[in-house]
Amino acid sequence: MEKSLKEILETKFKGSVFIDEPLAGYTSLNVGGPADIFFIPDSVESLSGFLRLLRKYKISFIVLGNGSNVLFSDKGLRGAVISMSHQGFKRIEVESNCVRCGAGVLLSELSRKTESLGLSGCEFMAGIPGTAAGAVISNAGAFEQDTGKIIERVESLDFSSRRRVFQKNDLKFSYRYCSLSVCKLVIIGISFMLTQGNVVSVSRRVEEIKKRREEAFPELPNAGSIFKNPDSIPAWELIDESGLRNMRLGGARVSMKHSNMIVNEGKATSKDIRNLVEIIQIKVLEKFGIALEPEIRIVPEFLNVQ
Ligand SMILES: Cc1cc2nc3c(=O)[nH]c(=O)nc-3n(C[C@H](O)[C@H](O)[C@H](O)COP(=O)(O)OP(=O)(O)OC[C@H]3O[C@@H](n4cnc5c(N)ncnc54)[C@H](O)[C@@H]3O)c2cc1C
């Protein structure tokens, strides 16, 4: 990195910028080498200034929520990571059935808050370790609910620091897909439209969901489902029937508890996980002729410069 850029970053964004920051600690899989620049904006204004600088210096970036659906390379990232983990992006406001929240609000918080008000629609979020913005981008869902069904509005900054607001009709959602995922922007806030239910029934549903997750999910570090489910058959069944449950590669293992999850047994590298992903894809393709598509975002060391 240019010395002058490093100086600008460290002066202008003092306390919010970290150079050569290891990424492993920011992801649920606990793997990933250093990012050239790691930035935690505390406000929309500082995010906007940072984006202007990235544009000026032609530096590519990725936005990070809670890191529960990403796999970084062991070599890290040549570019910038923008982490939306500051308190400034963690506010929740409720007005009648509409819940507005910052990008970095945790789904467990959203589910807890809406449950306490008897608002229905966020029950599925209980136990998903992601943020509201991460859930929008991947259209997170479970138990017949998903993010796209309750979205009302998304506020963002684009790469030129322009504020862009999307109403629900501007957005397309399908299974684990949101049209915003292909846009170069940073989500800063989201509004959800929920249904008024009652506290008892919403709480009962949340408890049911939490219990089902506890039964099905491994305890070791993981990123949830590794592959999307093909239309015809769940991915875990294909993996199981290919004899891959519990398969181990280096420090990575196909979970014994849920074969569509890969766990880090402690010392896994990103390469171990990547290789295991590829082996599963090859074996399932050979046996069933079905190409499994990763649900996690595999982030290469070099991103395209915008
Ligand atoms: C134990 C476990 C259980 C899980 N269960 C489920 C489940 O039931 N259903 C499900 O769908 N998923 C599940 N997941 C996967 C994951 O938690 C969700 O996809 C979650 O919504 C990701 O949120 P995140 O904040 O961690 O996103 P990250 O992993 O940080 O990022 C995911 C994507 O969103 C982008 N992104 C994040 N924030 C922003 C932003 N502010 N602006 C623009 N882009 C952004 C990132 O660039 C990346 O492309 C599970 C994961 C784990 C570990």
Side-chain angles (χ1 to χ4, degrees), residues 30 57 88 125 131 145 181-182 196 245 298:
N30 273 338
Y57 283 85
M125 294 177 178
T131 59
Q145 292 180 315
S181 63
V182 293
Q196 187 64 58
R245 186 181 282 255
I298 299 174

Side-chain angles (χ1 to χ4, degrees), residues 27-294:
T27 72
S28 61
L29 274 166
N30 273 338
V31 297
D36 289 344
I37 305 167
F38 191 91
F39 177 57
I40 308 179
D42 58 7
S43 63
V44 174
E45 292 65 38
S46 80
L47 173 62
S48 175
F50 185 76
L51 287 171
R52 275 196 296 275
L53 199 72
L54 292 187
R55 194 168 156 85
K56 182 170 168 202
Y57 283 85
K58 294 194 166 48
I59 297 170
S60 54
F61 72 92
I62 174 174
V63 192
L64 192 63
N66 206 32
S68 63
N69 209 29
V70 287
L71 176 63
F72 287 113
S73 153
D74 294 315
K75 293 190 177 145
L77 187 89
R78 307 291 66 83
V81 173
I82 300 174
S83 161
M84 301 302 280
S85 58
H86 193 276
Q87 278 307 115
F89 292 99
K90 290 197 174 188
R91 287 188 201 103
I92 306 181
E93 288 166 27
V94 184
E95 206 183 310
S96 182
N97 293 4
C98 181
V99 177
R100 276 188 292 275
C101 71
V105 166
L106 290 174
L107 299 176
S108 53
E109 268 304 305
L110 259 182
S111 141
R112 230 187 331 266
K113 176 82 184 171
T114 53
E115 176 191 346
S116 71
L117 297 168
L119 289 169
S120 175
C122 292
E123 294 90 329
F124 74 99
M125 294 177 178
I128 303 183
T131 59
V136 171
I137 291 294
S138 55
N139 189 19
F143 308 107
E144 284 87 51
Q145 292 180 315
D146 66 40
T147 312
K149 286 189 185 133
I150 51 171
I151 204 84
E152 188 62 19
R153 186 172 181 269
V154 175
E155 242 185 285
S156 67
L157 289 190
D158 72 11
F159 190 41
S160 322
S161 294
R162 264 190 320 231
R163 220 179 173 102
R164 294 189 61 190
V165 176
F166 301 88
Q167 305 296 339
K168 70 173 171 196
N169 291 337
D170 303 326
L171 303 170
K172 286 197 171 51
F173 288 95
S174 58
Y175 171 59
R176 299 296 170 271
Y177 170 82
C178 167
S179 46
L180 292 181
S181 63
V182 293
C183 306
K184 205 70 202 166
L185 42 78
V186 185
I187 296 178
I188 53 178
I190 302 126
S191 301
F192 295 108
M193 188 55 78
L194 305 180
T195 315
Q196 187 64 58
N198 69 71
V199 178
V200 176
S201 65
V202 175
S203 294
R204 195 179 302 131
R205 183 75 183 129
V206 167
E207 285 317 308
E208 217 176 276
I209 286 171
K210 281 189 188 159
K211 191 160 173 277
R212 284 174 68 177
R213 283 188 187 282
E214 273 165 28
E215 283 161 6
F217 282 38
E219 288 83 29
L220 290 170
N222 67 84
S225 297
I226 291 289
F227 298 104
K228 294 184 183 176
N229 288 317
D231 289 339
S232 50
I233 181 167
W236 71 262
E237 231 174 284
L238 295 169
I239 298 169
D240 242 16
E241 288 182 22
S242 304
L244 300 170
R245 186 181 282 255
N246 212 25
M247 182 186 176
R248 180 194 239 164
L249 195 83
R253 190 194 279 271
V254 177
S255 166
M256 189 61 189
K257 223 169 169 183
H258 193 315
S259 46
N260 191 19
M261 294 193 187
I262 291 179
V263 296
N264 178 352
E265 295 198 298
K267 293 207 167 109
T269 60
S270 178
K271 194 138 196 290
D272 292 338
I273 297 169
R274 279 292 304 265
N275 288 344
L276 199 47
V277 165
E278 276 172 28
I279 289 171
I280 295 171
Q281 286 175 311
I282 291 166
K283 297 269 187 205
V284 168
L285 187 63
E286 275 171 8
K287 191 165 165 87
F288 297 99
I290 297 177
L292 285 177
E293 192 190 328

